[in-house]
Amino acid sequence: MLDADFFRRWMAAAAAAVDREADRLTELDSPIGDADHGSNLQRGFTAVAAVIEKDAPDTPGAVLTLAGRQLISTVGGASGPLYGTLLRRTGKALGDAAEVAEAAFADALRTGVDAVAALGGAAPGDKTMLDALVPAVDALGESFAAARDAARDGALATTPLQARKGRASYLGERSVGHQDPGATSSALLFEALAEAADGSDTPEADRG
């Protein structure tokens, strides 16, 4: 069973991962976006970590709902609404339970991913964050590590794709050959999830 402390650890690990990789995310965003993905998410997840530590929500749903609200209010561009929607809708689907089973979490997270797809009008293969989120959620029933690996593979697989949604889609064929920054940051979210699950504080050690 997963309690509020697990989800607080997840958000803290996500904030640390985004902080560590912010420059790389911005570098990925430079040729196909506005060159601000890393800095925007860094600001947002730093705020998430601070508010969760301050308010200490005591249910899994409350942790994620609060995190989502904070992202929406602090992150500019499309990233804030998309990541905020992902976490808020997942949190709402978890309800008020003090502990949730891993299967219930997987179902709730799929609800959040579906909400992201509806908000952005995107689907897997469009070279967006969904290319990491969807395979990760599909693999979550197997293990947190499997979800992490599926998200990472999905992000890498965006490189040869032509963007069909978002800012990168304006570039047409010029978007080919660049790894999508949103899929890459989504993979960081699942890397942090696996870290929270196994207690490891050195996620770099198992990168491929």
Side-chain angles (χ1 to χ4, degrees), residues 31-43:
I32 59 174
D34 296 323
D36 60 1
H37 188 63
S39 57
N40 280 344
L41 283 187
Q42 186 178 36
R43 180 174 64 252

Side-chain angles (χ1 to χ4, degrees), residues 182-196:
T184 305
S185 58
S186 294
L188 291 178
L189 197 63
F190 281 90
E191 181 180 293
L193 180 64
E195 180 185 346

